[in-house]
Amino acid sequence: MNNGFAIEEEGQPFIDWAWILRHFWGDGGIVDAFFQHLYLSLVPVAVALAISLPVGIFVHRKRWLYAPTTALTGVLYTIPSLAFFVMLIPIMGTGQRPVLVALTAYSLLILIRNTVTGLDSVPEETKDAARGMGLTNRQILLGVEIPLALPVIVAGIRIATVTVVGIASIADFIGAGGLGDLIFDGIGRQFATPIIVGGGLVALIAICADLGLYRIEGWLRPWARRAGKAA
Amino acid sequence: MIEFKEVSKTYPGSEEPVVKDLSFEIPEGEICVLVGPSGCGKTTTMRMVNRLVEITSGDIEIEGESIAAKSATELRRKIGYAIQGIGLFPHRTIAENVATVPKLLDWSKDRTRERVDELLELVGLDAGQYRGRYPAELSGGQQQRVGVARAMAADPPIMLMDEPFGAVDPITRTRLQEEFLNIQQNIKKTIVFVTHDIDEAIKMGDRIAILQQGGVLAQYDTPARILSEPATDFVASFVGTDRVLKNLSLTRVKDVRLEPLDGAGNGLPRISENLSLKDALSELIGSGTDRGVVYPDESPNGNDARGVITLDGIRKMSRGVAGE
Ligand SMILES: Nc1ncnc2c1ncn2[C@@H]1O[C@H](COP(=O)(O)OP(=O)(O)O)[C@@H](O)[C@H]1O
Ligand SMILES: [Mg+2]
């Protein structure tokens, strides 16, 4: 076995606990990288959400905008992430900014699409009944459409978060830090511990976000949960 | 009173009006049924009353005031609205659904809660059991009841109902229709009721407006007169070749003059005075006689016969009602 990862042969322990302890705190340490990674993935999702909700609502109203919007965001989505980062360097330099921008762009497609899908799923007769009883457009949006679309929107946040948490792992290629820092450091030195720690923490963030948002999704639709139980 | 004044509607992007020069009045406290074949403009006509559809020309007045005088939302909060798809809010409990308009009108919590419970009981749902449920936890028939309760919540003088009993099985529909007629006897709302079913129209309507393709009013009259004197061939064919029987079904045995009982009436079929003439006719034909003894419901085996009903008598009456 000699594929460049001949880690065991060099006589290292599989996990070097002493290394973990030494690199736990401090600049460029594990905790530091962990929070950087959270920052790199959560900020884009939050920003994308703030853009997608109004855009999604607007596009839902002005239907003809839907195709061009998804086409544009779809194109952004197909750009390979590393290429996207590098493309942005001439405009924004290296570091966190191009990463934040690229990851926001990825989240946009998912979140706009899910916002529109969520609003589409609100039954026509429910809105008609609301209007017929004298709710204003604003009351229908806030009291009927958004609450009913919210589970689908949260499902979008879930997909976006998991996607972005993963892609953020390569952000360190252009010097943005994050858990990718540990992973690439380990690969470069053929040293398993940082790879395992970095990869493990990325997976942990993704799984926690996924489960947490899944819980929120269910909690946002008590009517479906109860009906399911009754059936 | 609701007054249609030469109301027309042409949808944008189309040449032909779907409602044309509609003029008629719906008196206070009556159910006016809009009936006609699919696509003849019934729903459009109804939705113009609460301005869900904008009138192209003409006007609708409620109590002498044009519906354009107030804002659309203000108008709608005073008009109950129940539709075929029911349109209950799936994310709100039954109580919250029924309380929609009271909440818009800023009723107090206590008053709203009291009203919700009262309405649920009125439409035959146990408030304690159903108040906190979600619509998905109710059967179709129960959801329709909630839809009707919600439309009545703020006690609006006018209600619009678009095939409100459409999405349930025939037995449930019959029960809902009868219950609603009972409720209406007490609340006396002015109701615009849309259906495509002439039998439902005859059953529910104090007056029936028959629309034909293109939104033209073919006849506006009481059920009895529509059945006995259809104004056009279209109306006659729409009400059906069994219109004489339908008309007999509008009259109960107790409401007609009976022949005196001479002799014991032994061997004659017993007919309840609450049957319709149509059902009495069916009983007579079924039993193979041409006369039956009419009894009140309370004492089906007693001796207080009200009189005798005969095939001849029914035939004469059907001629009377059929105006021939
Ligand atoms: N929003 C709309 N835009 C354009 N045409 C409509 C609209 N609503 C209904 N129509 C048309 O108007 C006609 C009457 O429809 P409707 O009032 O729903 O009839 P009904 O309730 O008697 O079946 C139909 O031909 C229908 O296609
Ligand atoms: Mg209709």
Side-chain angles (χ1 to χ4, degrees):
Chain A
M1 233 177 98
N2 191 6
N3 53 10
F5 285 92
I7 289 160
E8 308 293 345
E9 289 167 356
E10 287 174 27
Q12 291 169 353
F14 185 60
I15 292 190
D16 183 344
W17 293 102
W19 183 92
I20 293 180
L21 284 176
R22 258 182 288 120
H23 293 82
F24 202 69
W25 301 105
D27 250 13
I30 296 170
V31 173
D32 203 19
F34 178 80
F35 280 107
Q36 262 173 22
H37 201 97
L38 274 188
Y39 176 81
L40 285 176
S41 29
L42 298 190
V43 167
V45 174
V47 172
L49 185 63
I51 299 171
S52 301
L53 279 181
V55 169
I57 289 165
F58 190 72
V59 166
H60 173 71
R61 299 277 133 109
K62 310 262 175 239
R63 204 67 227 193
W64 56 274
L65 281 170
Y66 187 56
T69 309
T70 45
L72 178 71
T73 49
V75 166
L76 293 178
Y77 196 72
T78 57
I79 304 174
S81 32
L82 194 54
F84 204 167
F85 295 157
V86 173
M87 263 166 48
L88 290 171
I89 291 176
I91 311 170
M92 339 190 122
T94 55
Q96 292 186 336
R97 270 175 59 200
V99 172
L100 293 175
V101 169
L103 294 183
T104 302
Y106 284 137
S107 309
L108 280 179
L109 172 76
I110 300 166
L111 290 177
I112 291 176
R113 204 187 43 201
N114 275 52
T115 303
V116 176
T117 308
L119 292 172
D120 281 348
S121 73
V122 181
E124 210 46 58
E125 69 244 22
T126 305
K127 288 182 280 186
D128 181 64
R131 204 170 305 117
M133 285 187 291
L135 276 78
T136 61
N137 285 337
R138 198 185 148 80
Q139 286 167 331
I140 294 172
L141 180 68
L142 297 179
V144 179
E145 297 189 87
I146 299 217
L148 286 175
L150 212 51
V152 183
I153 297 173
V154 171
I157 299 177
R158 225 176 113 201
I159 302 168
T161 307
V162 172
T163 307
V164 163
V165 165
I167 300 176
S169 308
I170 58 166
D172 192 52
F173 257 124
I174 60 166
L179 291 166
D181 188 12
L182 300 179
I183 298 171
F184 292 127
D185 177 48
I187 293 173
R189 295 194 286 136
Q190 299 202 359
F191 176 38
T193 304
I195 302 176
I196 293 165
V197 171
L201 287 176
V202 170
L204 186 72
I205 295 175
I207 291 169
C208 287
D210 195 49
L211 289 180
L213 288 164
Y214 178 74
R215 295 291 292 269
I216 291 177
E217 228 180 292
W219 177 76
L220 284 171
R221 326 193 200 230
W223 63 91
R225 194 164 8 116
R226 291 254 301 265
K229 233 180 262 168
Chain B
M1 186 173 87
I2 306 173
E3 206 176 342
F4 283 74
K5 292 182 156 177
E6 294 178 24
V7 174
S8 296
K9 174 66 192 179
T10 308
Y11 281 107
S14 127
E15 304 276 297
E16 291 296 303
V18 296
V19 172
K20 205 171 163 193
D21 288 334
L22 214 54
S23 293
F24 65 103
E25 289 175 21
I26 305 171
E28 189 130 2
E30 293 199 353
I31 300 181
C32 166
V33 179
L34 302 178
V35 69
S38 171
C40 69
K42 307 179 291 287
T43 298
T44 302
T45 302
M46 188 201 82
R47 288 164 65 89
M48 285 191 286
V49 175
N50 66 353
R51 290 176 57 188
L52 285 171
V53 169
E54 200 189 331
I55 297 178
T56 309
S57 70
D59 195 13
I60 299 175
E61 288 182 359
I62 295 176
E63 311 298 341
E65 190 186 48
S66 164
I67 55 166
K70 274 182 279 192
S71 81
T73 46
E74 205 181 331
L75 175 78
R76 289 170 192 157
R77 288 171 196 184
K78 296 204 176 83
I79 300 179
Y81 186 60
I83 52 175
Q84 172 173 21
I86 311 170
L88 294 182
F89 302 138
H91 60 306
R92 303 263 177 84
T93 62
I94 299 309
E96 288 166 340
N97 264 285
V98 175
T100 304
V101 179
K103 197 174 150 205
L104 290 172
L105 297 174
D106 272 331
W107 285 20
S108 74
K109 274 219 170 80
D110 287 346
R111 183 178 173 203
T112 306
R113 190 186 161 86
E114 224 168 83
R115 179 68 178 152
V116 166
D117 287 0
E118 181 192 4
L119 280 167
L120 289 180
E121 300 292 347
L122 184 67
V123 298
L125 292 171
D126 177 52
Q129 192 179 350
Y130 291 101
R131 204 190 289 119
R133 295 213 187 165
Y134 288 102
E137 298 173 286
L138 268 57
S139 73
Q142 291 170 330
Q143 291 185 29
Q144 303 248 358
R145 289 165 197 265
V146 176
V148 170
R150 186 172 70 168
M152 297 194 292
D155 207 11
I158 294 174
M159 304 211 335
L160 307 180
M161 309 177 85
D162 192 348
E163 315 218 3
F165 311 130
V168 290
D169 60 275
I171 293 171
T172 308
R173 182 177 321 139
T174 305
R175 202 163 62 224
L176 289 173
Q177 286 167 342
E178 268 152 25
E179 286 172 5
F180 186 74
L181 284 175
N182 280 334
I183 294 172
Q184 165 69 355
Q185 295 218 311
N186 299 318
I187 60 177
K188 288 280 172 219
K189 303 286 183 197
T190 308
I191 296 170
V192 181
F193 189 108
V194 168
T195 179
H196 62 269
D197 176 1
I198 184 67
D199 293 316
E200 186 171 56
I202 291 167
K203 184 168 188 185
M204 302 300 290
D206 294 307
R207 274 158 209 270
I208 298 177
I210 299 192
L211 297 178
Q212 65 191 58
Q213 251 356 292
V216 175
L217 186 60
Q219 187 168 4
Y220 182 50
D221 232 321
T222 60
R225 285 180 55 86
I226 287 212
L227 290 168
S228 61
E229 294 169 49
T232 64
D233 287 349
F234 168 77
V235 175
S237 81
F238 187 75
V239 297
T241 43
D242 60 339
R243 64 192 174 87
V244 171
L245 284 181
K246 279 180 180 142
N247 210 349
L248 287 175
S249 73
L250 291 176
T251 313
R252 287 182 194 275
V253 171
K254 69 176 167 196
D255 296 327
V256 304
R257 199 142 40 82
L258 301 172
E259 288 172 23
L261 177 67
D262 47 357
N266 282 339
L268 293 181
R270 310 172 66 86
I271 290 176
S272 155
E273 64 171 0
N274 280 319
L275 288 186
S276 70
L277 287 183
K278 180 183 167 187
D279 293 340
L281 177 67
S282 168
E283 290 269 326
L284 290 185
I285 293 173
S287 63
T289 63
D290 61 357
R291 48 210 291 117
V293 185
V294 177
Y295 286 93
D297 259 352
E298 305 87 63
S299 65
N301 298 310
N303 296 317
D304 42 1
R306 291 282 155 96
V308 171
I309 191 159
T310 63
L311 279 181
D312 241 16
I314 295 177
R315 188 177 300 122
K316 274 187 197 124
M317 266 169 296
S318 81
R319 249 183 238 139
V321 294
E324 275 156 20

